[in-house]
Amino acid sequence: MALSLPHHEAPYGFRCCRSETVTIMSHSHRHQEIEINFLEHGSVTSLVNGALVVQHAGHLAIFCATIPHQIVSVEEGAAGFTWITLPL
């Protein structure tokens, strides 16, 4: 049986992005940066290396993005999502 690994993105480099809406991701991915996420309203649930992690508004999520990650659930009203990638 073949092992299915999450999609590995090309390095993003230093990037800062913001979106008013948060959407569920169709698949997990990983890339060569540290990722910092901030949510202004609501909460989101991510699958990070096989574990469910809930991020609530007003809290930073900081993790090594070489670990497979995917947003799997978005609370109604979740908004104001900012993410920053920092090269390793």
Side-chain angles (χ1 to χ4, degrees):
M1 179 159 104
L3 178 62
S4 176
L5 294 175
H7 184 64
H8 192 264
E9 304 277 340
Y12 292 154
F14 178 77
R15 185 193 292 187
C16 183
C17 301
R18 185 178 186 286
S19 176
E20 269 306 310
T21 60
V22 188
T23 57
I24 292 173
M25 301 168 88
S26 62
H27 62 278
S28 66
H29 69 282
R30 53 194 177 123
H31 45 90
Q32 300 293 321
E33 287 83 21
I34 298 296
E35 187 167 327
I36 303 168
N37 297 334
F38 183 78
L39 182 64
E40 294 174 26
H41 305 283
S43 66
V44 297
T45 301
S46 296
L47 185 61
V48 181
N49 204 28
L52 291 175
V53 178
V54 178
Q55 180 181 355
H56 298 282
H59 296 269
L60 286 176
I62 302 171
F63 58 94
C64 184
T66 61
I67 297 171
H69 56 285
Q70 172 187 10
I71 295 174
V72 294
S73 177
V74 178
E75 178 184 53
E76 186 175 337
F81 191 67
T82 300
W83 65 99
I84 298 169
T85 55
L86 301 172
L88 290 173

